[in-house]
Amino acid sequence: MTNRTTEALAERYRRVRALSLALTETLAPEDTVVQSMPDVSPTKWHLAHVTWFFERFVLQAHAPSYIRLNDTYDFLFNSYYYTAGQMHARPRRGLLSRPTFDEIVHYRQHVDEAMLRLIEQRQGDGKLEFLITLGLNHEQQHQELLLTDIKHVLSCNPIQPAFDPELTVPESASPGELTFTEGPSGVQPIGADAKGFSFDNETPRHDALVQPHAIADRLVTNDEYRAFIENGGYRKSELWLSDGWAAVNEHGWHAPLYWSEDHKMEFTLAGPRYVDGNAPVTHVSFYEADAYARWAGARLPTEFEWELAARENPVKGNLLESGLLQTASGIGQFYGDVWEWTSSPYTPYPGFKPLAGSLGEYNGKFMSNQMTVRGGSCVTSTDHIRATYRSFFYPDQRWQFLGIRLARET
Ligand SMILES: [Fe+2]
């Protein structure tokens, strides 16, 4: 790190860390403790876990004089890094009434002071710079999770409290007719190059064979999805994958998660609102996205088709930082509205090498039984979105902002 990169990194460190706390400003301490299902982590746990990540993988490894604030935190706030030691069970995170919210803020300050000292002292250390950048990208992933998780937590409360009643939820403009654009086919380069930050699962850049295809210029809207529902989409077994049909029947799915029984209202971060017909449909599982595509006479794009199309489109608008936090604008863009299901299973690229040591557990060990999603959502920071970014979810998960883009053969 040169002097200038040191300053830039310290500045970015302060900014990302400050946003995590800013996201909790509208919450009461009681809100931050609740775990509404095993997939959801309490707000308080997110704030502590991202701090533990810096403590465990940066400070303990690179700052010999660092003293841990509390030894129990190494057990409480490890998520899934078995090679780093034992951990508190994920489904029991909601039982952690202690440490208190204030104690976790104090933990954050303790680690921040040590981190900023380390950044200052270790100018010119490229490996350390990568590690800290990884930690900041990790924190941005958890900022997104913090918001999707608190949305689920609040939705489970019968009084339906808003995360922020002041949130702006503008009416979406009419999206226009759905059109398809032919994408590049043949042997195409896929994945991240050496420029800029990427997670290990985006590499190595490699050649992939892409069949002739066309991809939709915009996302599927709530009105379009409602037509699928009204046409009996959830009752026609022939539209569904076998596991999807089993999930429909097991869970009694009849609409996207957060829609009311009569399909008029949906729970949002601003509280219950009328479903905006022109906004992209969101909170649907892979199974629902796949069934909708079949009903519409199309299919989901592969992750390669998606990446080739997205590369042509700039990352615009940052709903997270503009305070909208809803899927309401920019339906025609590839980034920052909803994560988009692809038809691609989440698997390693040819020649994939996980990061060395415990950080190798970050992505690689989840490459089984999950589907790749692309694009980032309205609660993803803009500087955390890129065309090669691969996130992944189990096909029945719905609590993230997950939506549908269609593709078809040509
Ligand atoms: Fe994490």
Side-chain angles (χ1 to χ4, degrees):
M1 286 184 272
T2 62
N3 239 339
R4 254 184 58 211
T5 48
T6 302
E7 266 169 46
L9 185 62
E11 203 284 313
R12 180 153 191 240
Y13 182 89
R14 282 194 201 92
R15 183 166 48 82
V16 171
R17 296 282 288 167
L19 179 61
S20 301
L21 276 187
L23 291 175
T24 68
E25 273 169 14
T26 56
L27 298 176
E30 290 85 347
D31 297 324
T32 72
V33 185
V34 179
Q35 180 172 33
S36 49
M37 64 169 173
D39 285 338
V40 161
S41 295
T43 304
K44 210 171 69 166
W45 187 90
H46 284 299
L47 293 178
H49 162 69
V50 290
T51 306
W52 168 84
F53 191 94
F54 283 114
E55 178 177 78
R56 186 68 177 75
F57 297 125
V58 181
L59 294 173
Q60 284 185 213
H62 297 276
S65 60
Y66 175 73
I67 296 169
R68 291 203 298 216
L69 184 66
N70 186 319
D71 287 343
T72 66
Y73 292 0
D74 198 44
F75 171 75
L76 295 180
F77 302 124
N78 180 354
S79 53
Y80 53 63
Y81 296 89
Y82 292 101
T83 55
Q86 291 299 307
M87 68 210 66
H88 183 62
R90 178 177 180 150
R92 298 169 70 81
R93 289 173 187 165
L95 301 178
L96 299 177
S97 57
R98 309 293 175 91
T100 64
F101 185 87
D102 287 346
E103 284 168 334
I104 286 171
V105 171
H106 179 56
Y107 177 43
R108 289 180 67 89
Q109 288 162 349
H110 176 81
V111 165
D112 285 347
E113 281 163 22
M115 282 296 301
L116 288 166
R117 252 196 322 271
L118 182 69
I119 292 171
E120 184 62 41
Q121 285 163 358
R122 295 282 291 272
Q123 293 182 22
D125 188 334
K127 264 192 185 157
L128 187 64
E129 187 188 358
F130 171 78
L131 214 49
I132 295 168
T133 305
L134 178 70
L136 293 173
N137 278 274
H138 173 250
E139 182 137 355
Q140 288 182 309
Q141 288 183 316
H142 278 275
Q143 288 166 352
E144 179 176 335
L145 283 168
L146 184 156
L147 290 164
T148 46
D149 290 1
I150 197 67
K151 179 171 179 177
H152 191 265
V153 165
L154 296 171
S155 79
C156 293
N157 187 325
I159 61 172
Q160 303 267 283
F163 165 75
D164 181 357
E166 307 278 294
L167 278 179
T168 320
V169 188
E171 193 90 338
S172 302
S174 172
E177 207 184 317
L178 187 66
T179 55
F180 288 80
T181 300
E182 216 166 300
S185 58
V187 176
Q188 298 288 339
I190 294 293
D193 56 26
K195 286 181 245 138
F197 175 82
S198 57
F199 287 110
D200 56 5
N201 63 2
E202 298 166 55
T203 63
R205 194 168 171 92
H206 64 284
D207 285 339
L209 179 60
V210 179
Q211 300 297 331
H213 67 279
I215 191 162
D217 294 316
R218 64 165 175 80
L219 295 158
V220 171
T221 66
N222 283 321
D223 271 351
E224 287 166 336
Y225 196 80
R226 199 196 303 272
F228 162 75
I229 299 173
E230 288 173 359
N231 192 239
Y234 281 92
R235 298 192 300 276
K236 295 178 177 170
S237 62
E238 63 271 26
L239 294 174
W240 295 80
L241 291 167
S242 175
D243 287 349
W245 186 240
V248 167
N249 289 295
E250 186 188 340
H251 304 299
W253 288 343
H254 58 88
L257 179 69
Y258 300 130
W259 280 29
S260 59
E261 284 293 320
D262 65 4
H263 302 167
K264 288 191 176 138
M265 308 290 288
E266 66 173 325
F267 184 76
T268 74
L269 285 165
R273 297 286 159 120
Y274 282 104
V275 173
D276 179 351
N278 292 327
V281 67
T282 188
H283 297 296
V284 289
S285 63
F286 168 77
Y287 296 133
E288 288 162 297
D290 174 81
Y292 176 87
R294 194 165 292 111
W295 174 80
R299 61 168 175 78
L300 300 177
T302 68
E303 65 168 317
F304 301 154
E305 291 165 352
W306 190 96
E307 184 171 321
L308 292 167
R311 227 182 260 166
E312 304 303 312
N313 287 269
V315 179
K316 301 184 261 184
N318 185 340
L319 300 188
L320 177 61
E321 278 145 30
S322 68
L324 294 176
L325 296 172
Q326 297 298 326
T327 57
S329 62
I331 194 167
Q333 66 191 38
F334 273 78
Y335 312 97
D337 286 310
V338 294
W339 285 102
E340 303 178 19
W341 285 111
T342 72
S343 62
S344 302
Y346 177 52
T347 54
Y349 286 165
F352 167 66
K353 281 196 188 65
L355 293 170
S358 291
L359 288 170
E361 294 189 63
Y362 198 117
N363 282 310
K365 71 181 186 181
F366 299 108
M367 291 172 172
S368 160
N369 299 328
Q370 306 208 50
M371 302 304 289
T372 305
V373 298
R374 296 298 201 107
S377 83
C378 55
V379 291
T380 314
S381 288
T382 299
D383 65 357
H384 188 64
I385 292 177
R386 57 194 166 269
T388 58
Y389 196 144
R390 310 168 80 201
S391 193
F392 47 91
F393 292 100
Y394 289 102
D396 62 348
Q397 288 180 313
R398 312 206 292 171
W399 97 110
Q400 288 300 312
F401 287 92
L402 291 159
I404 311 170
R405 182 182 302 276
L406 298 177
R408 65 182 189 206
E409 319 303 335
T410 52

